[in-house]
Amino acid sequence: MLKRIAAIAVGLGAAGGIGFFAYAWYPAIAPVARPAPSSFSPDAVKRGALVAAGGYCAECHTRTDNGGGPVMAGDYKMETPFGDIFSSNLTPDPETGIGNWSEAAFKRAMNLGIARDGSQLYPAFPFDHFTKVNDQDVSDLYAYLMSQPAVHQEPRKNTVPFPINIRITGQGFWKLLFFKPGRYQNDPKHDAEWNRGAYLAIGDAHCGACHTPRNLLGAEKSGSEYDGAVIDGWIAPPLNEHNPTPVVWTEEELFQYLRFGVAPLHGSAAGPMSPVPHSFLSQLPESDVRAIAHYYADVDHAATRSSGDAAAVTRAMQMSGRNLTGPQTQDADARLYQAACGACHYNSGPATVSGRPELALNNALWLDEPNNLYQVMLHGIGAKEGQDGIAMPSFYAGLTDHDMARIAAYLRRTRTTLSPWTDLEKKAAQARATLKTPPINASH
C-alpha cells in the first residue's frame, strides 16, 4: 500500500514537473536582419515615441552611474532585495541590443516577459503592466526603437544569486503565482476618459510598479494597490484614499503635478518622480495627462473627499503664519528652521501658494516616515526638477544629521496634527548613507 502511495506521489510530482516546464519553457524566436528605419511609417514612429515617453523607457534603460551612458543603451543599475539587475540595451544594435529582434519577439517580451532567446525576463522589467498595452501601441513602440541610432553597449552582469538566477524555474514560478497576461479591457461602468487614463496608468505608465508595496517575492501586494512604497530611499506616496495629506489630490491638482511637476496645494515633484512630468508626460497630448488625472481622482475618491479642502488650506496657512512670529523665537529648533529654510518657505497671505508650496500641506510632512523630507534636504531640487525655474539647494554639507532631525521634528509638530516621527537622527544618517556622492549643488 505504501509503495503504491509513493508511486502515485512520484507520478504526480513528475506530471506536475512536466506541466510546469511546459508552462515556463518558450522556444527562441529566430533572429532577423535589422529592419531599415525607412520600413516604418513616420506616423508609426511618432506614435511609438509617445508610447516610449508614456512608459518612461529611457529612465530605466539609460545608465546613470559611472558617468552615465547613451540613451536607451541599457546598463541602468536596479538594486533589488534579490541582487543588482542591469537593464537591457533597447537600441537596434544587433549584438548587444534588440537589432536582430523581430516584431513578434518584441511583442512577446512586452506581453509575456519572454526574451527573444526564450529566457524568462526578471520582473524588474514590468511586463506585468506592459501586458496590458494594446498591439498597436507595441507595434508603434517597436517602430520607434528600431528607428533610433544603434549603440553597441553590453550591460553589466546581474548579481542575482542561485537559485533565483535559474530563470526557467525562478521566474517561471514567480509568473505562475503572480502574473496574469492579457490586454487592457475597457470598463463599461466608466466613461471613455476614465478608461483611457486607466489604460495608460495601469499599462504603459506602470504607476503601480512604484506606488504599490511589494511582498517578500517582489510582486505587488494583492489588495494593496496604490498604497505607496519605498523606492530608492524615497516614499512613493499612496495614490488612493490612504494618502495622508490634508488636502485631497483632486483631478486638477493631479493634472498640474503630472503635466508641470508642481501641484499648487501639494508641492513639487522631486527625486525619482521628477523626470516623470518633466521629461516624459510633458511629451504626451494634454488629453492623455488629463485622462490619467481623471482616473486617479476616481481612485482616491476625490469627489467625495474634497469638501474639507478649503478649511484644510486655511488651517495650514494659519499654522504657517502663527509660526513666523511669537513663541517660536524661544524655540531653538524654530530658529534653526528659520535660518536654513525660512527665507523661502513661508506663506502668510491668502490661501494661494502656487510658486511657494506650503509645507503644512506637503506630502513629505504627512507620510509615516521622514524619508522624502530628508531626501529633499540632502539632494535639493534643481531648477528643472520641481517647479520650472525654481530651485532649492542641497543641504548635504550645510546641515548635520542632528540638524536635519531637529528641523524634521519641528515641522512635524508645528505643521501637522500627526504624532511625532521617531529615531529622527538615525534615519537622517540612513538617508545620507544612500547618497553615493554628495550633490554637486550642496550648500556650505
Side-chain angles (χ1 to χ4, degrees):
M1 183 65 177
L2 290 176
K3 289 183 177 180
R4 181 177 296 177
I5 293 173
I8 292 172
V10 171
L12 290 175
I18 293 171
F20 173 78
F21 277 97
Y23 164 80
W25 180 85
Y26 284 83
I29 294 178
V32 298
R34 177 190 171 183
S38 60
S39 65
F40 303 104
S41 74
D43 286 344
V45 173
K46 288 179 182 178
R47 292 193 304 266
L50 295 180
V51 178
Y56 329 127
C57 299
E59 184 68 9
C60 287
H61 287 273
T62 304
R63 186 176 64 207
T64 55
D65 62 348
N66 296 339
V71 176
M72 293 288 197
D75 202 37
Y76 176 81
K77 182 179 180 180
M78 292 171 275
E79 297 178 355
T80 80
F82 313 101
D84 295 338
I85 296 175
F86 297 91
S87 62
S88 56
N89 185 337
L90 288 188
T91 74
D93 179 66
E95 296 177 354
T96 64
I98 60 170
N100 63 1
W101 286 41
S102 64
E103 185 172 328
F106 183 75
K107 284 186 175 181
R108 187 174 71 171
M110 292 286 288
N111 294 341
L112 299 175
I114 305 296
R116 187 197 63 76
D117 63 5
S119 62
Q120 297 276 355
L121 295 173
Y122 290 121
F125 176 69
F127 54 79
D128 51 337
H129 288 274
F130 294 156
T131 189
K132 304 297 182 185
V133 180
N134 65 44
D135 290 345
Q136 183 63 64
D137 280 349
V138 174
S139 179
D140 291 339
L141 178 58
Y142 178 78
Y144 168 73
L145 293 174
M146 287 298 182
S147 300
Q148 302 310 298
V151 177
H152 188 86
Q153 177 173 277
E154 186 76 40
R156 287 164 283 181
K157 300 297 183 183
N158 300 323
T159 64
V160 178
F162 178 86
I164 305 173
N165 64 340
I166 308 300
R167 299 199 187 201
I168 192 169
T169 53
Q171 304 317 305
F173 181 68
W174 190 94
K175 284 183 176 177
L176 191 62
L177 291 176
F178 305 117
F179 180 49
K180 295 180 180 179
R183 259 37 89 230
Y184 176 81
Q185 301 297 319
N186 282 345
D187 186 338
K189 298 191 299 293
H190 294 282
D191 61 21
E193 184 178 30
W194 187 97
N195 275 291
R196 177 63 178 170
Y199 167 74
L200 292 169
I202 296 170
D204 193 25
H206 58 283
C207 304
C210 287
H211 288 272
T212 297
R214 294 182 180 268
N215 61 27
L216 293 176
L217 294 179
E220 294 175 26
K221 284 186 178 179
S222 177
S224 299
E225 188 177 30
Y226 300 134
D227 271 350
V230 177
I231 303 294
D232 295 336
W234 296 74
I235 296 176
L239 297 180
N240 53 26
E241 69 274 16
H242 298 150
N243 189 292
T245 52
V247 174
V248 174
W249 279 94
T250 62
E251 185 170 331
E252 185 58 28
E253 282 284 293
L254 285 161
F255 171 74
Q256 292 293 328
Y257 187 82
L258 294 173
R259 187 66 171 181
F260 304 111
V262 60
L265 300 179
H266 287 90
S268 301
M273 185 63 192
S274 181
V276 173
H278 292 295
S279 300
F280 300 110
L281 294 186
S282 59
Q283 300 181 47
L284 268 57
E286 181 178 311
S287 59
D288 278 351
V289 182
R290 287 197 177 277
I292 296 173
H294 181 69
Y295 167 69
Y296 279 117
D298 181 67
V299 168
D300 74 8
H301 307 297
T304 59
R305 296 174 55 238
S306 58
S307 58
D309 282 1
V313 171
T314 299
R315 184 168 58 252
M317 302 302 290
Q318 290 172 344
M319 292 169 71
S320 179
R322 187 165 57 243
N323 285 282
L324 288 174
T325 58
Q328 99 286 346
T329 58
Q330 306 303 316
D331 185 333
D333 294 344
R335 292 199 299 272
L336 175 61
Y337 168 78
Q338 290 292 349
C341 319
C344 293
H345 288 286
Y346 65 89
N347 287 294
S348 58
T352 301
V353 294
S354 179
R356 194 185 299 278
E358 172 51 52
L359 293 181
L361 297 173
N362 194 284
N363 257 7
L365 295 188
W366 293 83
L367 295 170
D368 291 340
E369 297 291 349
N371 295 42
N372 291 9
L373 178 63
Y374 282 160
Q375 293 287 359
V376 169
M377 287 182 182
L378 292 167
H379 285 271
I381 301 178
K384 296 182 179 180
E385 291 181 299
Q387 186 167 356
D388 188 34
I390 296 179
M392 171 181 165
S394 161
F395 286 88
Y396 180 93
L399 295 173
T400 66
D401 296 339
H402 182 63
D403 292 337
M404 291 168 59
R406 289 173 56 195
I407 291 173
Y410 167 73
L411 288 172
R412 181 78 164 184
R413 74 172 181 265
T414 61
R415 301 304 198 274
T416 81
T417 56
L418 302 177
S419 58
W421 285 315
T422 60
D423 299 322
L424 281 170
E425 191 164 344
K426 176 182 177 182
K427 291 170 183 174
Q430 291 171 340
R432 191 182 297 271
T434 64
L435 277 69
K436 304 298 186 294
T437 56
I440 59 174
N441 63 334
S443 65
H444 294 276

